[in-house]
Amino acid sequence: MRQSVLLRRVLLLGLFFVVLPCFLFMMLNLPSTNSKSEREDFGRESSGLVKNNGHTSDSQKLNVIEEGTEGIVYKDESFHTPVVRINGSLGKGGLVSDGDGRSKQNQSTTIETKKVSAEVTREKIWEMEDQVIMAQAYLRFAPPGSNSHLVKELKLRIKEIQRVLAHTTANKRLSRSALQKIRQMEATLFRAQAAYPDCAAMATKLRAMTYNTEEQLRTQQNQASYLTQLVARTMPKGLHCLSLSLISEYFGLDTEKRLFPRGNFVEDPQLYHYAVFSDNVLACAVVVNSTIFNSKEADKIVFHIITDSQNFPAMSAWFLLNPPSPATIQIQAIENLKNLPSNFTSSFKFHYLGDLRFTSRFNYLRFYLPQIFPSLSKILLLDHDVVVRKDLGELWRIDMEGYVNLAAEACDNTGDSVNRIKTILNFSEPVIASKFDGDTCIWAFGMNLFDLDEWRRLDLTDALHKWLQLGKEGQLWKTGILPIGQMVFYNHTMALDRRWHLLGLGQSSFRVVSELELERATVLHYNGNMKPWLEMSIPKYRVYWVEYLNYNNSLLLKCNIHK
């Protein structure tokens, strides 16, 4: 008996000494495996072993996270303390490796914490804004003049939340007092909901508030647009001073000295004739100076500046005191033009009353170029808000092939529908839909070469008058001269490369113009409200305009006009 017991003990001890090394070998080698499937198996087995031994619960399971090929991260979700294995080493609270690795991990954790904090704050801000709206809606349910405890409390909570919102930003953590005010507002809204349980009435009230808010926004947008246009059209103090000084200079000259030289060249059809219509002295000065400075044949240039009788003395005095040599210049007042139709002023006012952008007579003179310049065959029209950066002489050598208008298109080759005539003409009107293709690209005013002989032959001025008459009978186009131009010169316009004419330098909402585009462009156009002579201009683009003015001029210095 004793021998059998002794034999069993020997066998058990032998089995123990065989199994123990194998078990230790497995335990030492399993964690060092690098394959994803093996790690997952090991994680499951480990979790199962721990659970079976009763040392953890479901809320304390260890999650296995793969971190590249460097090691394994075990994260205890209960305590949020990462346990990291890097090349066989374990540690808590960060990567157990060299100093750089620990620093990067800490930086990453800090950035992530900030992002989460900012997101939480942003959600709280939205919650407070919604609370204010709901509180205001409940206040509207109260009878007029009501001074009940609930009404007083709602008003108090609204003021408190608004005060918190005024001092809160998304990157700033909310204080305890702010969170307390949010909870207080929640409690007040809960009481208001109990006092006013009619959900249908609340929904109706909220819809009415939304409608009123949208109407107020629309009104404010219209007012802002009007004021912006007013600022753009208002003469700055410096320009007003300059005009008065120039008028004084003009009437101080003898009569014979008020005449411009080379008067016999103004009707020579062999020269290069440029037209500018404006009442802005500095704008015209920049157009003239930049064109002449960059021209290879400046002596062949003739400028025709048309202004109004009020600004005629100042405009004349500027160019008499600053002659654009070697070019020729002629200045006329619009009131003295003999060939304009008698109803010129009233023809274009039916759509645009009250809109300052479209009430200027200078905008519409371009449709009467053949009548204004009866002896000329061609003329290049420049808007007063452009700068010429390169020689324009090549334009005069282009064969226009029977087209009337030479202009740069506003579309690109991406197929977008933004700058197509369907966006400015009313294609719901049959007369428009039958005459035009809505996908036709819009071409731009600002720099246009017109063949006046071909214009006269086609009698496009008569076509203009027909469209104006139809426009009085219905809304055929959006406001402005651009839609009228697209209709009058439809199928009569030759497209120029867009590098000739760069648009949008006076618009803050326009696409970003690259330095390469600016350098390649022949003409820079400051179309929009942010004109380069205004304080609201865009500095990045204004530098190209100011280089063509001599700010050391005594009159500019006197009127405090500077770069």
Side-chain angles (χ1 to χ4, degrees):
M1 185 70 178
R2 290 185 64 184
Q3 289 179 351
S4 62
V5 171
L6 182 61
L7 180 60
R8 282 199 299 271
R9 287 180 178 177
V10 171
L11 288 174
L12 287 172
L13 286 173
L15 182 61
F16 177 79
F17 285 111
V18 171
V19 172
L20 180 60
C22 295
F23 180 79
L24 292 174
F25 179 81
M26 291 171 60
M27 293 300 292
L28 289 172
N29 283 277
L30 273 172
S32 62
T33 180
N34 285 328
S35 74
K36 183 177 180 180
S37 61
E38 290 175 343
R39 288 198 300 270
E40 290 173 347
D41 291 342
F42 174 70
R44 284 193 294 269
E45 291 169 11
S46 300
S47 178
L49 287 171
V50 174
K51 185 174 181 179
N52 291 336
N53 283 284
H55 295 300
T56 188
S57 63
D58 289 342
S59 63
Q60 293 174 316
K61 289 181 180 178
L62 295 177
N63 297 319
V64 183
I65 305 171
E66 183 179 357
E67 290 288 337
T69 58
E70 296 300 320
I72 310 166
V73 178
Y74 304 94
K75 184 177 179 183
D76 189 331
E77 290 183 344
S78 300
F79 299 97
H80 306 284
T81 304
V83 183
V84 186
R85 179 184 296 277
I86 300 294
N87 296 329
S89 300
L90 287 174
K92 287 190 177 182
L95 291 174
V96 182
S97 62
D98 58 15
D100 291 341
R102 186 180 298 108
S103 175
K104 290 179 181 177
Q105 175 69 9
N106 292 337
Q107 289 176 3
S108 176
T109 304
T110 302
I111 293 172
E112 193 64 31
T113 302
K114 288 182 178 179
K115 288 182 179 178
V116 172
S117 178
E119 185 64 30
V120 170
T121 303
R122 194 176 296 111
E123 289 178 359
K124 288 295 182 183
I125 290 174
W126 294 339
E127 181 182 347
M128 288 188 286
E129 291 173 346
D130 290 343
Q131 286 181 335
V132 170
I133 293 172
M134 289 299 297
Q136 290 172 341
Y138 281 123
L139 281 177
R140 291 174 183 267
F141 279 94
S146 174
N147 201 26
S148 67
H149 176 72
L150 180 59
V151 169
K152 290 180 179 179
E153 188 175 351
L154 282 170
K155 291 179 179 179
L156 174 63
R157 299 298 178 225
I158 290 173
K159 289 181 180 179
E160 289 177 345
I161 294 295
Q162 288 176 337
R163 194 177 297 117
V164 172
L165 286 171
H167 296 87
T168 302
T169 58
N171 56 358
K172 182 180 178 182
R173 182 173 294 181
L174 287 172
S175 64
R176 283 188 178 182
S177 62
L179 295 174
Q180 184 179 4
K181 286 179 171 58
I182 293 175
R183 289 192 293 270
Q184 290 172 346
M185 175 63 98
E186 287 177 355
T188 303
L189 289 175
F190 182 77
R191 287 193 291 274
Q193 184 180 2
Y196 306 111
D198 191 345
C199 294
M202 174 60 73
T204 302
K205 185 69 68 174
L206 288 173
R207 280 196 294 269
M209 290 173 63
T210 302
Y211 176 79
N212 290 335
T213 303
E214 290 175 348
E215 285 297 311
Q216 291 174 5
L217 176 61
R218 192 175 296 110
T219 301
Q220 290 177 357
Q221 287 176 334
N222 291 337
Q223 290 177 348
S225 176
Y226 177 82
L227 291 174
T228 302
Q229 296 295 336
L230 184 62
V231 170
R233 289 288 304 275
T234 301
M235 180 181 291
K237 182 179 179 180
L239 283 180
H240 183 68
C241 167
L242 179 63
S243 294
L244 293 178
S245 300
L246 289 170
I247 290 172
S248 177
E249 294 284 344
Y250 179 79
F251 287 108
L253 295 173
D254 295 334
T255 304
E256 61 274 9
K257 290 185 178 180
R258 297 178 188 174
L259 301 176
F260 288 95
R262 295 165 58 94
N264 56 314
F265 290 94
V266 295
E267 295 184 354
D268 188 345
Q270 302 301 317
L271 300 179
Y272 303 151
H273 293 265
Y274 296 79
V276 183
F277 307 145
S278 175
D279 56 0
N280 189 313
V281 174
L282 285 188
C284 291
V286 170
V287 175
V288 171
N289 293 346
S290 61
T291 304
I292 294 173
F293 180 83
N294 293 290
S295 176
K296 297 177 181 177
E297 300 175 289
D299 58 321
K300 292 185 177 181
I301 291 177
V302 179
F303 268 101
H304 302 269
I305 296 179
I306 297 180
T307 184
D308 54 27
S309 56
Q310 180 180 349
N311 291 281
F312 177 82
M315 192 75 71
S316 299
W318 176 266
F319 287 104
L320 286 168
L321 297 173
N322 304 277
S325 180
T328 303
I329 192 166
Q330 178 194 36
I331 298 176
Q332 301 180 79
I334 190 172
E335 292 83 358
N336 296 331
L337 297 177
K338 299 178 181 179
N339 297 324
L340 291 179
S342 57
N343 63 342
F344 167 75
T345 302
S346 60
S347 296
F348 300 94
K349 286 190 174 181
F350 50 92
H351 285 316
Y352 319 131
L353 291 177
D355 195 327
L356 296 173
R357 290 173 294 175
F358 312 121
T359 55
S360 173
R361 294 174 293 172
F362 299 116
N363 281 333
Y364 304 101
L365 277 179
R366 66 194 69 210
F367 296 113
Y368 295 96
L369 289 172
Q371 289 77 20
I372 297 171
F373 305 106
S375 61
L376 301 182
S377 298
K378 284 185 177 181
I379 195 162
L380 200 156
L381 178 65
L382 295 172
D383 280 2
H384 74 163
D385 54 356
V386 305
V387 170
V388 178
R389 299 273 295 166
K390 297 178 182 178
D391 180 36
L392 297 177
E394 185 180 339
L395 290 176
W396 297 92
R397 293 184 283 274
I398 294 177
D399 181 5
M400 294 183 63
E401 302 174 1
Y403 288 98
V404 176
N405 177 27
L406 188 63
E409 291 186 333
C411 302
D412 53 28
N413 296 323
T414 61
D416 66 81
S417 60
V418 175
N419 292 314
R420 311 285 172 175
I421 64 171
K422 62 186 176 185
T423 62
I424 58 175
L425 300 184
N426 183 7
F427 275 82
S428 64
E429 292 286 344
V431 66
I432 296 293
S434 63
K435 296 285 187 181
F436 305 102
D437 178 2
D439 290 323
T440 302
C441 184
I442 293 174
W443 50 265
F445 277 126
M447 185 201 71
N448 306 85
L449 181 64
F450 291 102
D451 186 333
L452 300 183
D453 289 336
E454 195 66 20
W455 187 332
R456 296 184 188 100
R457 187 184 70 80
L458 295 170
D459 198 9
L460 294 184
T461 302
D462 183 63
L464 166 71
H465 292 151
K466 290 180 180 177
W467 281 117
L468 292 177
Q469 185 59 39
L470 289 172
K472 292 179 179 179
E473 300 171 3
Q475 187 72 38
L476 302 183
W477 59 82
K478 291 185 177 180
T479 53
I481 61 169
L482 187 59
I484 301 173
Q486 306 300 313
M487 294 188 295
V488 172
F489 299 107
Y490 186 74
N491 288 334
H492 300 299
T493 299
M494 174 182 280
L496 272 174
D497 189 289
R498 295 176 70 192
R499 287 178 295 180
W500 278 96
H501 186 186
L502 182 60
L503 296 161
L505 304 189
Q507 300 175 6
S508 59
S509 59
F510 199 71
R511 64 179 180 83
V512 177
V513 180
S514 67
E515 293 292 335
L516 179 61
E517 288 179 288
L518 289 166
E519 293 301 324
R520 291 172 61 185
T522 301
V523 172
L524 305 180
H525 193 175
Y526 297 82
N527 58 306
N529 298 321
M530 307 174 80
K531 302 300 184 186
W533 54 84
L534 299 175
E535 291 184 3
M536 60 188 292
S537 62
I538 303 174
K540 176 183 176 181
Y541 306 139
R542 187 174 186 268
V543 295
Y544 297 96
W545 189 84
V546 298
E547 64 181 271
Y548 293 102
L549 272 181
N550 177 19
Y551 284 91
N552 292 321
N553 183 287
S554 60
L555 291 176
L556 298 187
L557 293 173
K558 174 186 174 182
C559 293
N560 198 27
I561 298 174
H562 48 76
K563 292 185 179 182

